[in-house]
Amino acid sequence: MSKEWPLWEVFIRSQHGLAHKHAGSLHAPDAAMAIRNARDVYTRRNEGVSIWVVRSADIVASSPGDREALFEPAQSKVYRHPTFFPMPDEVKHI
Amino acid sequence: MYAQMVDTGVRSVKDAAAMTPEEQAFQARIDADVKVEPKDWMPEHYRRTLIRQIQQHAHSEIVGMLPEGNWVTRAPTLKRKAILMAKIQDEGGHGLYLYSAAETLGVSRDDLIADLHAGRVKYSSIFNYPTLTWADIGAIGWLVDGAAIMNQVPLQRTSYGPYARAMVRICKEESFHQRQGYEIMMHLAQGTPEQKRMAQDALDRWWQPSLMMFGPPDADSVHSAQSMQWKIKLLSNDELRQRFVDQTVPQADYLGLTVPDPQLRWNAERGHYDFGPIDWREFYDVLKGNGPCNRDRIRTRVKAWEDGAWVREAAVAHAEKRAARKAA
Amino acid sequence: MPPDASLLDYLLRLADTDLVLAQRLGEWVGKGPVVEEDIASTNVGLDLLGQARMWYGYAGEVEARIAGTGRDEDAFAFRRDAHEFRNLLLVEQPNGDYADTLARQFLFDQWHLLLLRALSASADERVAGIAAKAAKEAAYHAERSADWVIRLGDGTDVSHARMQDAIDGLWMYTGEMFTAAPAGDPLAAAGIAVDPAMLKAPWDARVSAVLAEATLARPADGWMQKGGIAGVHTEHLGRLLAEMQFLQRAYPDAKW
């Protein structure tokens, strides 16, 4: 009876200095091969300069049921955004 | 398309009144173009239909590697060989992305592959046709990938998040595939009389099967309405087929090749090409397993999978040993 | 042999070896043990094919220096018969099972990396440039195939037996990689080529270490097959070329 290779999530950092971004998933028997497979599967077109892999089973995600409790409170805090503070046209560089 | 005739498991589309409150909320989110994500509640039929559709699509990519793989070792120049290898490699990648998308719905890739090998799930009818000459590699890129793109571009907006994201990546990579096919055809069409004959012969053999890729006519397409309401199918079979014909005929004209359809003509009133009937009996037969290559394709896949079993098992065994040594 | 003729011959050895191995890897396309591996193995094939094209490109230029005109990459690849091919016998050996394929790759990659690193310091700038670029790719190949040999050698009983069998069977084709350059070879004297005998000790060290980690026995250096460099091949190359060259041979006037 064969055992399936575990699933890994792949995160790639592109050349432009942005944070690692989820690229997709793949199967690999362990982390070392997951990195190699990620290189061959997800960076064939110069997509990245750095790879993270993590076992899909190890990802902890927020629950969709908590969406309102988690995210709606932020909607009422508009003062966190610069557009909340109108500035006169004469005032520059602010 | 790559996923033809996906059974939704429903006989008729429910209207809002017949839906449970959960179903209503689900449909409302889809109508508002909010993506459905793996952990969200979804109707069981939606989940199962998606699994079926995504895996048909994935299997098509994987089986689709074979007809083109048939010419890798015989590609006529080193440049063509490299391009073809890279293209088939992309198709492997696309199969992989799609399997991953299906896996977010709670199935394992091994199970999906077992379904394919046992004939429980289909792949696109198109890959049951043989690649007899090098021109077929051109025709596949031009026509088959061209037809695939027609369907895949709208699927980037499909309601299921992981599927839509896989399609975005696939469409980005796929963009060179059709062009390389057309470029092969251009070289043949402008080549020796023998090459030109090869090109015409390929168009003759691939034209109808390409039109069949979009699936049966809308009138006979029982599951389309539900799939469209769920936004896992965005344009109808006939709509896509017409678009494909309209786009492809001028391309054939440019090559100086003749589309094998005596009834094909421009209809100025409709603003579309009219085209002749499609032999749907052939389509259903190929889907049933009676295409020229069904048996070979599945046998090749099963053999590859079985021959690879000891490799996959050994890799797991070694990983376990490594982990144990590290823990010790 | 005058220096340019020697150089042409040497470049064809490099190019043909890359091409024949790429062709073998092409046979696996769509049939690998798992799709991730299919993609990875094709990447190696594409690297080797790209390297072959670079070597053929330079070979054509060198041929033009000798003869006034030089052949292009496709003329070299598709219009020469087996006895004109200069590839190593090792790379023309059939794919066999996945252990055979990986063992062949492993034995080749470790040598290839050493060779390319040495050639990166060639007195011929073009050779040095191509080798330096190819060495980066080869470094990845060498690590990948070594890791697979370890995984399969130290995997299950079945994989261990298959990998040992593959290494044993291919061992007699490894001697050719280290055939010393003939005395007075102008390329070695000019610092253009590498004396292959110098690669033997580091190759041995690396291969032995990997085999040990893989719990595999290193075969004894017994009888070694040779002939590829002189154009005397195994039966396998003729069939490989017959398939590869079919279209160019059947339609000699066509452009593709």
Side-chain angles (χ1 to χ4, degrees):
Chain A
M1 191 56 216
S2 78
K3 262 189 249 174
E4 186 164 8
W5 290 1
L7 192 65
W8 300 76
E9 300 303 322
V10 178
F11 300 82
I12 307 271
R13 179 153 56 77
S14 69
Q15 330 232 0
H16 314 297
L18 296 173
H20 284 77
K21 193 176 158 212
H22 186 237
S25 330
L26 49 74
H27 288 269
D30 59 20
M33 225 161 113
I35 291 270
R36 272 216 320 265
N37 287 347
R39 179 258 193 197
D40 287 316
V41 172
Y42 289 107
T43 69
R44 295 199 306 284
R45 288 175 169 82
N46 290 314
E47 289 94 335
V49 293
S50 166
I51 299 172
W52 288 350
V53 294
V54 57
R55 279 178 83 129
S56 309
D58 290 340
I59 295 219
V60 182
S62 62
S63 152
D66 296 341
R67 193 171 350 217
E68 287 174 12
L70 287 176
F71 305 115
E72 276 189 18
Q75 288 172 10
S76 57
K77 317 270 189 312
V78 284
Y79 43 78
R80 288 198 172 109
H81 298 279
T83 46
F84 182 73
F85 307 93
M87 288 287 135
D89 286 349
E90 297 79 19
V91 180
K92 305 291 182 200
H93 307 299
I94 185 161
Chain B
M1 184 43 43
Y2 276 9
Q4 298 155 322
M5 304 188 58
V6 179
D7 187 347
T8 55
V10 297
R11 288 219 193 91
S12 62
V13 178
K14 282 187 197 173
D15 59 21
M19 289 181 187
T20 65
E22 269 174 325
E23 287 171 341
Q24 280 176 14
F26 176 80
Q27 190 60 49
R29 290 183 62 204
I30 288 188
D31 293 343
D33 280 331
V34 177
K35 294 271 181 269
V36 180
E37 294 297 339
K39 293 177 120 191
D40 292 343
W41 182 88
M42 60 188 86
E44 187 54 20
H45 282 309
Y46 174 87
R47 195 182 75 88
R48 274 198 244 143
T49 303
L50 260 180
I51 292 173
R52 223 170 283 139
Q53 176 169 336
I54 297 173
Q55 78 159 316
Q56 275 194 32
H57 196 157
H59 296 327
S60 297
E61 297 281 359
I62 298 296
V63 175
M65 296 168 83
L66 300 176
E68 290 180 289
N70 186 34
W71 280 91
V72 164
T73 54
R74 290 179 290 170
T77 69
L78 297 184
K79 187 181 90 177
R80 295 277 177 220
K81 191 190 289 292
I83 294 169
L84 184 58
M85 281 171 78
K87 174 176 189 286
I88 300 173
Q89 191 187 39
D90 277 351
E91 277 145 19
H94 299 171
L96 189 157
Y97 308 155
L98 289 160
Y99 282 135
S100 302
E103 283 172 277
T104 62
L105 292 160
V107 288
S108 79
R109 193 200 289 178
D110 279 6
D111 291 340
L112 300 178
I113 289 173
D115 282 348
L116 170 71
H117 292 177
R120 286 188 291 268
V121 177
K122 307 289 183 208
Y123 52 91
S124 176
S125 55
I126 195 77
F127 300 117
N128 291 313
Y129 290 88
T131 49
L132 302 178
T133 74
W134 172 250
D136 291 10
I137 299 307
I140 286 185
W142 172 35
L143 301 174
V144 176
D145 291 320
I149 291 167
M150 301 240 79
N151 189 50
Q152 290 174 348
V153 166
L155 278 177
Q156 295 178 97
R157 296 181 285 113
T158 191
S159 62
Y160 187 57
Y163 191 22
R165 289 190 284 273
M167 291 318 304
V168 169
R169 182 171 274 276
I170 288 171
C171 286
K172 210 195 283 173
E173 295 187 356
E174 187 93 18
S175 52
F176 95 83
H177 293 186
Q178 191 188 12
R179 284 187 176 204
Q180 68 85 34
Y182 194 72
E183 202 214 354
I184 290 175
M185 296 305 277
M186 283 201 293
H187 273 78
L188 297 176
Q190 293 158 9
T192 65
E194 282 162 320
Q195 284 177 301
K196 208 167 171 180
R197 255 201 310 279
M198 218 182 258
Q200 182 63 53
D201 163 65
L203 175 57
D204 290 348
R205 281 183 291 108
W206 289 92
W207 176 253
Q208 279 256 340
S210 298
L211 297 184
M212 293 175 195
M213 285 178 69
F214 299 95
D218 295 345
D220 306 338
S221 194
V222 273
H223 302 291
S224 287
Q226 179 63 71
S227 290
M228 288 179 89
Q229 189 187 48
W230 282 334
K231 292 192 185 169
I232 55 182
K233 182 184 178 100
L234 291 129
L235 295 166
S236 85
N237 296 351
D238 287 334
E239 229 174 322
L240 286 165
R241 192 169 9 250
Q242 183 70 59
R243 274 194 197 186
F244 175 75
V245 172
D246 290 348
Q247 140 187 322
T248 309
V249 171
Q251 294 167 355
D253 290 345
Y254 179 83
L255 293 172
L257 300 178
T258 309
V259 174
D261 179 353
Q263 295 178 46
L264 182 82
R265 62 182 52 84
W266 177 251
N267 182 330
E269 212 172 296
R270 288 203 308 129
H272 293 292
Y273 281 93
D274 292 335
F275 52 96
I278 294 166
D279 182 358
W280 291 108
R281 277 171 324 178
E282 175 176 316
F283 171 75
Y284 289 112
D285 255 321
V286 171
L287 270 195
K288 246 187 274 165
N290 299 328
C293 299
N294 295 60
R295 187 159 178 265
D296 285 345
R297 299 283 184 253
I298 287 297
R299 281 186 147 197
T300 305
R301 281 309 316 157
V302 169
K303 183 174 186 316
W305 187 246
E306 287 176 355
D307 287 352
W310 69 270
V311 179
R312 298 190 300 275
E313 277 163 29
V316 171
H318 180 81
E320 283 168 357
K321 284 184 193 178
R322 259 191 214 186
R325 262 176 240 147
K326 213 172 155 189
Chain C
M1 222 188 262
D4 270 347
S6 294
L7 179 57
L8 175 59
D9 195 66
Y10 190 71
L11 292 170
L12 290 177
R13 273 193 231 170
L14 298 168
D16 291 346
T17 295
D18 286 340
L19 174 61
V20 169
L21 187 51
Q23 175 75 1
R24 282 291 185 222
L25 292 174
E27 293 171 18
W28 272 109
V29 167
K31 301 175 186 121
V34 63
V35 65
E36 281 85 350
E37 182 58 18
D38 216 305
I39 293 169
S41 156
T42 302
N43 260 358
V44 176
L46 280 171
D47 284 345
L48 292 171
L49 188 52
Q51 293 176 21
R53 295 178 68 189
M54 289 191 286
W55 293 126
Y56 283 135
Y58 187 34
E61 292 172 36
V62 172
E63 192 174 46
R65 292 205 295 248
I66 302 168
T69 55
R71 283 171 281 183
D72 65 14
E73 59 180 29
D74 292 324
F76 283 125
F78 296 98
R79 302 295 178 98
R80 286 179 304 147
D81 203 347
H83 68 89
E84 296 167 279
F85 269 73
R86 294 286 176 266
N87 61 281
L88 296 169
L89 299 179
L90 175 68
V91 296
E92 71 197 40
Q93 297 314 303
N95 284 342
D97 67 13
Y98 216 62
D100 293 320
T101 290
L102 285 169
R104 182 184 64 199
Q105 195 69 41
F106 164 68
L107 297 169
F108 167 78
D109 284 343
Q110 310 312 316
W111 170 82
H112 197 213
L113 177 59
L114 292 167
L115 173 73
L116 291 172
R117 284 197 173 144
L119 283 179
S120 303
S122 168
D124 183 312
E125 267 179 34
R126 295 291 304 283
V127 170
I130 296 171
K133 182 175 185 302
K136 287 180 201 156
E137 296 171 345
Y140 183 75
H141 304 168
E143 193 201 309
R144 194 185 105 82
S145 58
D147 185 58
W148 261 118
V149 167
I150 293 165
R151 284 171 190 275
L152 295 184
D154 188 21
T156 61
D157 291 347
V158 172
S159 71
H160 177 88
R162 282 178 184 257
M163 187 47 88
Q164 184 68 61
D165 190 50
I167 296 279
D168 291 349
L170 290 169
W171 197 258
M172 66 176 170
Y173 298 106
T174 60
E176 194 184 27
M177 299 192 287
F178 309 105
T179 311
D185 175 36
L187 295 183
I192 292 172
V194 175
D195 183 353
M198 290 172 54
L199 306 176
K200 174 77 163 129
W203 182 85
D204 257 337
R206 173 70 179 146
V207 166
S208 299
V210 171
L211 291 179
E213 194 180 341
T215 71
L216 294 164
R218 181 191 182 286
D221 284 337
W223 173 254
M224 291 292 176
Q225 303 291 344
K226 56 180 191 295
I229 293 168
V232 182
H233 290 274
T234 59
E235 287 181 347
H236 306 296
L237 184 67
R239 287 184 177 276
L240 178 144
L241 295 181
E243 183 173 345
M244 185 176 86
Q245 298 178 337
F246 153 69
L247 278 171
Q248 292 260 358
R249 300 289 196 181
Y251 303 95
D253 303 325
K255 301 257 182 300
W256 304 91

